[in-house]
Amino acid sequence: MDKIVIRGGKPLSGHVPITGAKNAALPILIATLVAPGEHRLSNVPDLVDVSSMLSLLGRIGCPSLKHGSDVRLDTTRVSFCEAPYDLVRKMRASVLALGPLLARCGEAHVSLPGGCAIGVRPIDQHLKGLEALGAEFELSGGYVHARTSGLRGAHIVLDVPTVTGTENILTAAVLARGESLIENAAREPEIIDLARFLRSLGAKIEGEGSGSIRVQGVHELKPAAEPHRILPDRIEAGTYMVAAAITGGDVTVTGVDPRDMGPVVEKLRAAGCLVELGTDRIRVQQSGDLLPVDVTTRPHPGFPTDMQAQLMALCTLAKGRSVITETIFENRFMHVPELARLGADIQVEGNRAVVTGVEGLHGATVMATDLRASASLVLAGLATEGPTEILRLYHLDRGYERLVEKLQAIGADVERVPDDLRDRIPTSLSATVA
Ligand code: EPU
């Protein structure tokens, strides 16, 4: 397995172009199923999760072509209404096939995603919403087998504003007979992007982003004439903004929508950073001491759980005590023991982590079991004395396009070392690895 080696301590400076959002691209790619024909998408990030979603679509019978960030996808025929275990196992977001397949084929067989490193992650709300729209489910052999003799509009009140649950229900409702109202719907920008995409196919949707989404079902949807541009990745942008802060640097993320970055901007300012907002860019400058910040993760428009680990990395070097409370996922502190290996002082009590800033972090070999935890280790590595080696890059490849190249372009001393080049690892680290 490849690894990343970072020799930290260099202030980063320059511009980082932000790619399309993973969590918008995935639901939109699979939602193309509701409109048979040829679809074009732009600003699609080059990520392992995107390749997995295109493989799933290929398995369903829909071939695709990806050139850079442009994707062409042909959903004229569907030959297989299944998201099999081998793909769901690699990418939990395959559960997003449930709504689109039901709407398109009247049936869907989707392997149960099960829990994952960050929590149990049930799909009861997905099933509740789709059942209200007229689907029937049977759980057997590790699969959800869903069938409907015709979807019809319904009033659905979600118990929790689940992101992918809202996406599954919305994508099914656009082809249901009559009106649907989804209340306590997730309000994330990625939901708004999905609604915008579905509307470009002819869907009738109102209220996305408000928590109350109203859908008038239509009989048929058609691919849009113009390509749909995936919205920018606010989590990728936030990660590079923290990279500027943690290295005492001066970094501008470009191609972003600052309106979606409010909670992250607010916390970086509270941490003592100078943050300037442009129309499609954000500049973050940091010099002097980092201040402690308290953060509680919340559904949008609150502070995103997907930025919690990165912000914690920043807090490890603040002058004082920060309290980080995770309310979305019950097990999203797996970066804590790894950050501790780099010298961080963090005490976890239930869903609260108390981070006492230290004078400096030191290099070590670390690995993480989820995507954002891995990102937090990269950020900490950028600030350590001595080299840090990050193992198990699988997660980073799922969610950050060209991470090493982008960091190198703003001055980081970082490289990806293929497994067969172990002897390029600095001697101080080979001892730790052995
Ligand atoms: N929940 C339920 N029942 C359900 C669905 C969710 O109880 O039927 C609970 C979950 O257990 C969790 C909370 O609701 O406690 C929120 O989970 P949600 O369903 O919103 O998460 P998700 O849709 O599975 C998406 C992102 C995650 C991101 C979360 C929260 C995608 C593909 N994934 O997951 O992204 O953390 O929303 O914002 O959109 C990541 O990119 O690293 C990532 C994990």
Side-chain angles (χ1 to χ4, degrees):
M1 282 272 281
D2 292 4
K3 57 202 72 185
I4 286 177
V5 178
I6 308 175
R7 292 165 203 85
K10 297 185 176 51
L12 302 184
S13 113
H15 289 66
V16 184
I18 297 305
T19 56
K22 165 178 86 74
N23 290 347
L26 298 176
I28 288 173
L29 281 167
I30 195 81
T32 56
L33 285 174
V34 296
E38 190 171 307
H39 294 264
R40 287 179 301 147
L41 302 172
S42 66
N43 207 28
V44 179
D46 202 5
L47 301 171
V48 170
D49 270 9
V50 166
S51 310
S52 300
M53 189 56 95
L54 293 175
S55 301
L56 172 57
L57 280 155
R59 203 78 79 84
I60 288 170
C62 306
S64 57
L65 269 179
K66 187 167 188 317
H67 283 298
S69 63
D70 294 333
V71 169
R72 273 175 186 268
L73 186 55
D74 185 355
T75 60
T76 307
R77 266 175 298 279
V78 166
S79 40
F80 194 57
C81 302
E82 183 174 326
Y85 176 67
D86 61 317
L87 286 171
V88 176
R89 185 173 58 88
K90 283 194 207 133
M91 186 189 53
R92 216 187 163 280
S94 310
V95 74
L96 284 165
L98 202 49
L101 278 176
L102 257 178
R104 171 77 184 260
C105 318
E107 63 176 298
H109 309 278
V110 175
S111 176
L112 276 166
C116 75
I118 61 177
V120 180
R121 304 185 77 179
I123 57 163
D124 57 300
Q125 297 302 304
H126 303 228
L127 302 187
K128 168 178 137 171
L130 294 170
E131 194 166 35
L133 292 173
E136 288 176 5
F137 296 102
E138 190 196 308
L139 305 184
S140 69
Y143 275 74
V144 184
H145 299 284
R147 280 197 175 75
T148 181
S149 50
L151 296 174
R152 52 176 193 275
H155 182 188
I156 298 154
V157 184
L158 293 173
D159 296 348
V160 283
T162 157
V163 175
T164 49
T166 302
E167 290 163 349
N168 254 330
I169 297 164
L170 173 62
T171 310
V174 292
L175 283 176
R177 205 163 358 101
E179 181 175 288
S180 296
L181 179 61
I182 312 167
E183 293 198 86
N184 198 24
R187 298 160 66 184
E188 271 65 7
E190 292 73 22
I191 304 275
I192 299 178
D193 204 27
L194 173 63
R196 213 164 47 88
F197 171 70
L198 290 169
R199 215 181 278 118
S200 76
L201 311 178
K204 296 201 165 24
I205 303 169
E206 283 171 15
E208 70 278 7
S210 73
S212 211
I213 306 179
R214 198 175 288 276
V215 182
Q216 293 294 341
V218 296
H219 181 60
E220 182 185 39
L221 296 166
K222 294 208 167 87
E226 294 299 318
H228 176 86
R229 186 173 172 82
I230 303 291
L231 95 170
D233 195 319
R234 63 200 164 98
I235 307 301
E236 188 198 24
T239 303
Y240 287 102
M241 287 160 67
V242 174
I246 204 167
T247 62
D250 178 357
V251 172
T252 302
V253 288
T254 61
V256 298
D257 188 339
R259 289 168 302 180
D260 293 337
M261 303 295 305
V264 175
V265 168
E266 187 204 319
K267 292 300 168 192
L268 288 178
R269 284 183 173 150
C273 301
L274 187 62
V275 184
E276 270 173 57
L277 307 182
T279 44
D280 69 343
R281 57 195 56 217
I282 302 178
R283 180 177 181 187
V284 179
Q285 292 168 274
Q286 168 63 24
S287 56
D289 289 342
L290 281 166
L291 307 174
V293 282
D294 292 345
V295 179
T296 300
T297 62
R298 298 272 182 222
H300 193 78
F303 188 89
T305 173
D306 289 347
M307 279 301 298
Q308 178 259 106
Q310 299 90 315
L311 204 88
M312 189 185 292
L314 186 68
C315 293
T316 64
L317 288 168
K319 291 270 175 247
R321 208 182 73 140
S322 307
V323 179
I324 297 183
T325 310
E326 171 60 54
T327 72
I328 309 294
F329 291 112
E330 66 277 18
N331 192 26
R332 213 172 195 184
F333 281 149
M334 264 120 18
H335 37 288
V336 169
E338 299 301 301
L339 288 170
R341 289 171 55 71
L342 300 175
D345 178 352
I346 307 168
Q347 303 301 320
V348 174
E349 301 153 6
N351 70 343
R352 271 166 33 113
V354 178
V355 186
T356 307
V358 292
E359 279 302 314
L361 298 171
H362 49 76
T365 300
V366 287
M367 66 167 97
T369 44
D370 83 271
L371 168 57
R372 309 306 170 184
S374 306
S376 79
L377 299 177
V378 170
L379 292 169
L382 290 169
T384 57
E385 294 283 325
T388 297
E389 186 185 61
I390 297 166
L391 309 181
R392 202 187 274 160
L393 302 187
Y394 166 74
H395 295 288
L396 286 169
D397 292 340
R398 284 185 40 228
Y400 288 91
E401 183 181 298
R402 298 188 301 109
L403 173 76
V404 166
E405 291 82 347
K406 286 186 181 185
L407 286 171
Q408 285 169 342
I410 51 175
D413 184 347
V414 53
E415 63 179 329
R416 186 169 179 132
V417 183
D419 199 24
D420 55 351
L421 294 179
R422 283 175 82 90
D423 46 352
R424 281 172 59 193
I425 300 171
T427 14
S428 57
L429 274 174
S430 343
T432 339
V433 183

